[in-house]
Amino acid sequence: MFFNEQKVLRLRQMIENTYDFLCDIIEYQPVKNTTNKSIEHKEIIVLEKQPCRISYKTISNANETEKESNVAQIIKLFIAPEIQIKPRI
């Protein structure tokens, strides 16, 4: 099934209407230190106040014992697809 451009834009707008948070995109980038001329990695804000939505899901392990109970939380960030978020190195 193929959608025309107008329908895609309308669907995207419907999804973006569910965004209820704003986020800042931060990258670690190399910055030259002027005092000792070394290169340090610092947090640089690339984009500010981008609309987004966060989804949480908690998964507990079925093999719980008295000593140990494994619980994991999955966090998903929904943001405009043209925004590139680089992984932290």
Side-chain angles (χ1 to χ4, degrees):
M1 175 191 287
F2 293 102
F3 297 114
N4 62 20
E5 188 175 335
Q6 185 179 12
K7 194 165 195 171
V8 170
L9 289 174
R10 194 173 49 194
L11 289 170
R12 179 176 174 170
Q13 187 177 32
M14 288 172 56
I15 292 170
E16 288 180 351
N17 284 338
T18 66
Y19 293 175
D20 51 358
F21 290 99
L22 296 175
C23 71
D24 295 338
I25 310 299
I26 299 172
E27 291 180 0
Y28 281 90
Q29 295 182 351
V31 176
K32 189 172 185 176
N33 188 336
T34 56
T35 57
N36 61 6
K37 297 186 175 136
S38 65
I39 295 179
E40 302 172 345
H41 285 80
K42 295 198 176 197
E43 291 183 354
I44 306 292
I45 297 177
V46 179
L47 293 170
E48 290 186 83
K49 298 181 181 172
Q50 295 298 308
C52 66
R53 185 169 75 88
I54 298 174
S55 172
Y56 298 96
K57 184 176 182 181
T58 303
I59 301 172
S60 60
N61 191 356
N63 299 341
E64 294 182 14
T65 64
E66 280 186 30
K67 295 181 182 179
E68 172 179 338
S69 174
N70 294 331
V71 176
Q73 188 175 45
I74 298 173
I75 302 170
K76 291 183 184 178
L77 174 68
F78 297 90
I79 197 163
E82 63 271 2
I83 295 176
Q84 296 290 321
I85 300 177
K86 296 179 183 175
R88 181 177 174 183
I89 299 173

